[in-house]
């Protein structure tokens, strides 16, 4: 469930667009006004506001926001205002660039989005960057990590609910054999994780747990310094239990010495319209603190205000 | 979230009561009519129907249902029709009787109900059985199991949300020491589990997990034949993660050779108005089969029909 709150009477796109224009003018920027509008419109509404803004003022709303705002607050506003597919394309692109390279963001996008969302992100990637996400991922990775990430990003999984229990049993057995042999990079293991539908993979891993007495995550937790294993475990969690994946990410981002604002911003902006409510439930269960209170405590200023607004918690 | 579905236009209690009376008359009983009424009324509505029935016909609706129905279907209808507190009192009483004794049901009621629900169940117990649940539990248990169950049932936990993190840390350490010494029945361990508020206990166990690297459930899983340890783990799961507790119970009830109808009936009737939706989500995640489909496959006849109706799945 989403946390985003949309008022019952939404102003017209041209009203919103004019209000935003007004927020940039005069002495200083009116951040509160920007939050009160953008943090309470869904993706379709934000898109029309952006189109209206361009038609009226001949400028991209995002460019104006970029000019007016700064630091963490700016990052949230820009990421949030982007269309979800464009946003994923942008995040994925940054994650393949040399200075901001981050394989775990690639894994996050490839595993926690639905197959259709991932497809749209890859289309947006091509439209914007004039190349494919797959080629960029392949180019900036090597060895086992490339072997895992390229199909993880590239393959369009079947999106149906059907589960083949016979297949789940045989592939659970196969996974267990490979893991028992420490063949964590075995072709079959990577094939199962990167190609099977999410419900089918989940059935396989449930059978693994039933039959071999451990969740696969524990059995793959043999070396916390091994980046490949870390990415493999993140992919499996993102594919089969995304709320738990994001809870963990937030836990680490918030409990760290010095909050990891990038991760916090990314989770809130990408999940507020999707499942942030369920993620917050997982967070509270695991950390004994409500997520909004944890965010409130660790952040400040306009950055804090917009995060709480996206969590549905501004008054 | 509940699964119970109530029609937008509910007939008056006297209409419902007359329809039910009609379902008992003539040749055979009209089970479909009974399901269509009772499985779509909430606790307050069922209560008024029962009162109206008694006023009009001078008989207890439950007694008439008992006369007309049989086997598993009868058990669901009777349990469901009971007021939640009376139902818990009835289940708890059966669980303390010699032939039907079942400590895990005592633990289930004491741990998964809110403090207020448990208090009401104990009041209903006294009103109906003219004795306290605590004395019956104490009488039919002994040794460590008594030491755990009597306070678990007896103590009225604080129901607020506040969490004392300093206390959580010190008690996590204490629990870890006792468990490292295999002193699973230590007074302090039982005190923490049976007296702390659920949010406080949850914070303690989260800290335990963070600090000592394992969830407490794993550390207490040392002897699967030890009934005390089984009850202790069930209590901890019921107190801190009830949806997961019920998912496990259903998994074992359904996947068994020959379904465990008692457990299935108990979970559906006691949770349909509370959190059966979330339990069903947990079930599907862990078993790769939707709960209603699993129930559909394992049951038949009117028993099947009413269970699916209580899951909100009759057409």
């Amino acid at each position: 469930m989403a946390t985003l709150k949309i008022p019952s009477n939404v102003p017209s796109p041209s009203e919103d667009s004019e209000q935003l224009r007004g927020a940039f003018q005069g002495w200083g920027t009116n951040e509160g006004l920007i939050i009160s509008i953008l943090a309470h419109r869904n993706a379709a509404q934000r898109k029309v506001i952006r189109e209206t803004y361009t038609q009226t003022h001949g400028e991209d709303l995002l460019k104006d926001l970029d000019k007016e705002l700064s630091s963490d607050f700016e990052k949230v506003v820009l990421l949030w205002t982007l269309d979800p597919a464009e946003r994923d394309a942008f995040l994925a692109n940054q994650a393949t660039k040399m200075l901001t390279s981050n394989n775990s963001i690639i894994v996050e996008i490839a595993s926690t989005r639905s197959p259709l969302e991932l497809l749209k992100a890859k289309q947006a990637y091509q439209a914007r960057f004039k190349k494919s996400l797959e080629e960029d991922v392949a180019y900036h990775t090597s060895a086992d990590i490339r072997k895992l990430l390229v199909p993880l990003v590239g393959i369009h999984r079947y999106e149906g609910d059907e589960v083949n229990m016979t297949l789940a049993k045989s592939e659970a057995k196969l996974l267990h054999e490979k893991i028992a042999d420490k063949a964590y990079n075995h072709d079959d293991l990577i094939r199962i994780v990167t190609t099977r539908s999410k419900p089918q993979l989940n059935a396989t891993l449930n059978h693994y747990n039933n039959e071999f007495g451990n969740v696969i995550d524990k059995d793959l937790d043999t070396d916390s310094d091994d980046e490949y294993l870390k990415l493999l475990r993140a992919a499996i969690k993102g594919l089969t239990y995304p709320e738990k994946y994001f809870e963990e990410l937030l836990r680490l981002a918030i409990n760290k010495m010095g909050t990891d604002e990038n991760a916090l911003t990314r989770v809130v902006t990408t999940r507020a319209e999707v499942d942030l409510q369920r993620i917050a439930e997982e967070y509270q269960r695991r950390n004994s603190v409500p997520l909004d209170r944890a965010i409130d405590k660790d952040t400040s200023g306009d950055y804090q205000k917009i995060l709480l607004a996206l969590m549905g918690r501004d008054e």
Side-chain angles (χ1 to χ4, degrees), chain A:
Chain A
M1 268 190 321
T3 52
L4 177 67
K5 276 192 191 153
I6 300 168
S8 42
N9 289 313
V10 176
S12 73
S14 50
E15 275 176 80
D16 277 347
S17 157
E18 287 321 285
Q19 289 277 313
L20 286 169
R21 185 73 176 185
F24 305 149
Q25 285 163 344
W27 192 78
T29 305
N30 188 343
E31 284 84 0
L33 186 58
I34 295 173
I35 295 173
S36 74
I37 298 170
L38 288 176
H40 296 285
R41 302 293 181 270
N42 65 28
Q45 292 165 336
R46 297 193 305 276
K47 193 174 175 159
V48 182
I49 293 171
R50 223 177 126 190
E51 287 164 0
T52 310
Y53 192 95
T54 306
Q55 282 160 17
T56 320
H57 303 290
E59 280 168 85
D60 187 346
L61 173 61
L62 284 179
K63 291 235 167 79
D64 282 353
L65 287 166
D66 188 23
K67 251 188 285 170
E68 297 291 329
L69 310 177
S70 63
S71 71
D72 291 326
F73 178 61
E74 175 184 1
K75 278 187 214 148
V76 186
V77 174
L78 294 181
L79 273 185
W80 171 247
T81 305
L82 279 168
D83 176 74
E86 286 177 39
R87 184 200 295 139
D88 281 347
F90 172 80
L91 289 168
N93 181 253
Q94 284 215 309
T96 59
K97 282 183 174 166
M98 210 165 23
L99 283 176
T100 49
S101 156
N102 187 332
N103 288 326
S104 66
I105 296 181
I106 302 288
V107 167
E108 178 173 311
I109 292 173
S111 65
T112 65
R113 274 49 163 176
S114 74
L116 183 62
E117 287 166 348
L118 178 58
L119 179 66
K120 286 185 178 169
K122 290 189 288 183
Q123 289 169 336
Y125 196 98
Q126 299 201 8
R128 172 144 178 198
F129 302 108
K130 307 300 170 200
K131 49 191 178 165
S132 74
L133 175 57
E134 290 87 334
E135 66 188 295
D136 281 354
V137 169
Y139 183 73
H140 103 283
T141 53
S142 62
D144 285 349
I145 292 180
R146 177 185 289 168
K147 196 170 147 185
L148 173 66
L149 262 57
V150 172
L152 192 67
V153 167
I155 289 165
H156 186 68
R157 289 171 204 268
Y158 175 60
E159 205 150 356
D161 275 343
E162 303 88 339
V163 163
N164 179 333
M165 285 293 182
T166 313
L167 184 67
K169 283 181 194 176
S170 69
E171 294 197 335
K173 194 160 162 281
L174 191 54
L175 288 175
H176 187 252
E177 283 165 15
K178 300 310 165 199
I179 291 173
D181 293 347
K182 302 194 196 310
Y184 306 121
N185 64 352
H186 193 280
D187 286 356
D188 276 329
L189 188 152
I190 291 181
R191 170 185 61 76
I192 293 167
V193 171
T194 59
T195 71
R196 293 302 184 193
S197 77
K198 293 183 182 190
Q200 180 68 39
L201 179 62
N202 192 46
T204 300
L205 300 184
N206 281 329
H207 190 76
Y208 184 103
N209 185 359
N210 293 343
E211 195 68 14
F212 308 111
N214 258 342
V215 292
I216 197 168
D217 185 66
K218 278 266 176 233
D219 287 347
L220 292 172
D221 189 9
T222 57
D223 177 359
S224 59
D225 290 331
D226 182 322
E227 200 200 344
Y228 169 76
L229 279 180
K230 251 197 275 185
L231 295 171
L232 178 62
R233 292 169 62 206
I236 289 172
K237 193 158 283 181
L239 288 163
T240 57
Y241 204 161
E243 307 94 311
K244 194 68 200 151
Y245 168 87
F246 286 113
E247 180 281 316
E248 237 178 90
L249 190 62
L250 287 172
R251 170 154 35 100
L252 297 174
I254 292 172
N255 293 349
K256 213 172 181 170
M257 275 292 210
T259 308
D260 177 352
E261 282 84 7
N262 285 335
L264 181 56
T265 298
R266 193 172 78 246
V267 177
V268 173
T269 54
T270 61
R271 309 317 290 180
E273 275 179 291
V274 186
D275 55 3
L276 193 51
Q277 188 73 47
R278 279 280 293 119
I279 295 168
E281 281 171 34
E282 291 290 334
Y283 188 90
Q284 178 155 9
R285 190 200 309 287
R286 181 62 183 79
N287 301 277
S288 302
V289 178
L291 178 58
D292 51 1
R293 208 189 298 159
I295 290 177
D296 187 48
K297 198 169 146 251
D298 261 33
T299 58
S300 63
D302 295 320
Y303 179 57
Q304 178 189 63
K305 283 195 195 107
I306 190 165
L307 292 180
L308 293 177
L310 290 173
M311 294 210 60
R313 286 301 304 270
D314 49 352
E315 294 82 34

